[in-house]
Amino acid sequence: AAGTVPRRRPPASDMGRGLGLLLLPLALLAAPSRAEGGSAAEEEVQIEVLHLPEPCSPKSKKGDLLNAHYDGFLASDGSKFYCSRTQNEGHPKWFVLGVGQVIKGLDIAMMNMCPGEKRKVKIPPSLAYGQQGYAQGKIPPNATLIFEIELYAVRKGPRSVEAFNQIDKDGDKKLSELEISHYLKEEFARDGKKRHPSAHDEILADIFKKNDHDGDGFISAKEYNVYQHDEL
């Protein structure tokens, strides 16, 4: 499906690192279908490092949760089609790297990037919105895109082994309703937001509806879908 610049739906918590990201999907710039054809050179993302902090760590990898601001421009005329600072009251964007929550070119462009680093990247159409473009986002067909990115934070991703084990208190490699309920309460206490008393039960039910595929009352490591670079 064609990608979109806006979120398809708001996350469960605008803090970005709560259960909405832990067990439910988030979309910022959804990955479109890969365009066919194109030479090897056209497939490459060109990366220019504008600022590199010292020390530069940790470096981002697939599955990490990133917090960044970025501006998007059309390479053809330099016009700006997206600015994260004008969205969500100017808060930087949270997303998981390397899993298709952003266009393929950004997944590539933001690998091995550290907090405080700034990059200017050029992304070919085949790694962006391809032959179809994205009219709602003012991106024409076959558009080469330029992004200016500033990375603020690199954290363990929501479906990492560490996150799974944090919830799995008894270490049985599956998440019970009680374990997730406990984690929800901890997350709610941590972000300090006021919620209706029913919010806990509604989110808990939604988590199991979306993740407990075999209906056994537990979310297994496989159902949790730990990213491929992690092993349980």
Side-chain angles (χ1 to χ4, degrees):
T4 60
V5 173
R7 287 190 168 110
R8 286 186 292 225
R9 61 175 178 270
S13 166
D14 62 6
M15 188 174 73
R17 48 192 179 274
L19 252 291
L21 273 173
L22 183 66
L23 292 169
L24 304 177
L26 170 72
L28 297 174
L29 292 160
S33 301
R34 187 181 180 86
E36 296 179 359
S39 66
E42 292 173 334
E43 295 293 319
E44 294 179 357
V45 174
Q46 298 177 29
I47 299 174
E48 178 186 358
V49 177
L50 302 178
H51 175 70
L52 189 67
E54 291 293 345
C56 183
S57 67
K59 290 185 177 291
S60 60
K61 64 181 184 302
K62 180 181 178 182
D64 281 344
L65 181 61
L66 305 188
N67 185 235
H69 265 315
Y70 46 89
D71 294 332
F73 306 86
L74 298 180
S76 58
D77 61 7
S79 61
K80 182 182 291 188
F81 64 84
Y82 187 72
C83 175
S84 64
R85 291 174 174 83
T86 63
Q87 306 290 323
N88 193 28
E89 297 182 345
H91 297 301
K93 302 299 182 183
W94 287 98
F95 66 95
V96 180
L97 182 65
V99 298
Q101 288 187 355
V102 293
I103 56 174
K104 182 65 174 179
L106 281 176
D107 269 340
I108 294 171
M110 296 184 70
M111 289 287 184
N112 297 311
M113 194 173 181
C114 62
E117 185 173 346
K118 297 179 183 180
R119 290 182 178 182
K120 183 177 182 179
V121 302
K122 187 175 183 180
I123 300 174
S126 60
L127 298 175
Y129 294 92
Q131 297 175 0
Q132 73 274 25
Y134 177 52
Q136 186 177 345
K138 300 181 180 179
I139 300 171
N142 300 310
T144 296
L145 307 180
I146 293 174
F147 283 93
E148 294 181 357
I149 307 163
E150 182 173 3
L151 184 61
Y152 294 101
V154 176
R155 299 187 178 180
K156 289 291 184 182
R159 292 183 188 261
S160 65
V161 169
E162 291 85 355
F164 185 94
N165 290 338
Q166 182 180 357
I167 306 170
D168 184 23
K169 299 295 186 182
D170 60 9
D172 63 356
K173 303 304 180 187
K174 58 185 179 181
L175 307 181
S176 68
E177 186 171 322
L178 182 62
E179 286 172 331
I180 294 178
S181 176
H182 180 69
Y183 186 83
L184 264 178
K185 290 176 182 177
E186 289 181 337
E187 284 295 303
F188 287 176
R190 187 174 293 118
D191 74 21
K193 289 184 176 295
K194 292 183 178 180
R195 293 177 173 84
H196 190 274
S198 65
H200 175 277
D201 292 342
E202 290 173 358
I203 293 175
L204 185 63
D206 193 51
I207 287 170
F208 273 86
K209 180 180 178 181
K210 288 182 169 67
N211 293 273
D212 182 19
H213 304 304
D214 61 10
D216 68 349
F218 295 90
I219 297 175
S220 67
K222 184 177 181 180
E223 288 170 329
Y224 184 82
N225 189 29
V226 171
Y227 295 129
Q228 292 179 0
H229 74 276
D230 290 326
E231 294 180 0
L232 281 169

